[in-house]
Amino acid sequence: MSWVTLTESDVLARLSENEKTCYEETGEESPADRLTGIILQVTALVRGKVASCDENLGKLGAAGTIPSECLWAAATIARGSLVASLPLEEGETDPRSEELKKAHAILDQVAACELRIEDPSGTIPEAADSGAGSYGGCPHMEF
């Protein structure tokens, strides 16, 4: 698995039965249209985070795809957006706030080059060696 497409089924698999029922029964627009828009937005967010890491420049997968390492985070963020659009009691979504924070933290790690992403060929690039000395993880002066 290298670069994948975030799908409706990836997001719906993360919903509880109550949330699925609400999803299917609510909305002035088609629920599928709402989810399609959310998936497009989350895909763009993930691709932007991946591209924020200089090590990933020129290594993005095909348009509309995300690294498989980010699929859980993407599906979690999409689910959070979808659930936020449903008429649920406030307390029903609160337990998921920590999980949503973790999903965004993963994408922040990707953007900061702290989580290595496979390139489209399936290769994980080696870490760049700055050549600078360090002690205890703290870099010393670089010249």
Side-chain angles (χ1 to χ4, degrees), residues 20-62:
K20 284 180 188 176
T21 300
C22 287
Y23 166 71
E24 293 164 356
E25 294 177 352
T26 61
E28 295 174 13
E29 59 188 281
S30 164
D33 291 342
R34 185 177 338 128
L35 185 52
T36 299
I38 289 169
I39 288 172
L40 290 173
Q41 293 168 2
V42 171
T43 297
L45 170 69
V46 172
R47 289 179 65 83
K49 290 285 193 172
V50 171
S52 294
C53 174
D54 290 341
E55 295 172 14
N56 295 328
L57 291 179
K59 297 179 183 177
L60 289 180

Side-chain angles (χ1 to χ4, degrees), residues 15-23 86 88 92:
L15 294 176
S16 70
E17 288 305 314
N18 184 36
E19 291 166 336
K20 284 180 188 176
T21 300
C22 287
Y23 166 71
L86 300 176
L88 298 175
E92 291 183 64

Side-chain angles (χ1 to χ4, degrees), residues 3 11 13-14 21 23 35 63-67 70 85 104 110-111 129 140:
W3 285 67
V11 179
R14 305 220 18 92
T21 300
Y23 166 71
L35 185 52
T65 62
I66 61 173
C70 297
S85 72
H104 280 286
V110 170
D129 183 13
H140 289 282

Side-chain angles (χ1 to χ4, degrees), residues 86-100:
L86 300 176
L88 298 175
E89 296 295 322
E90 185 176 325
E92 291 183 64
T93 59
D94 283 348
R96 295 208 169 139
S97 63
E98 274 306 307
E99 191 175 39
L100 189 56

Side-chain angles (χ1 to χ4, degrees), residues 106-117:
I106 287 171
L107 295 183
D108 289 342
Q109 288 177 322
V110 170
C113 304
E114 296 169 356
L115 179 66
R116 301 241 179 271
I117 299 297

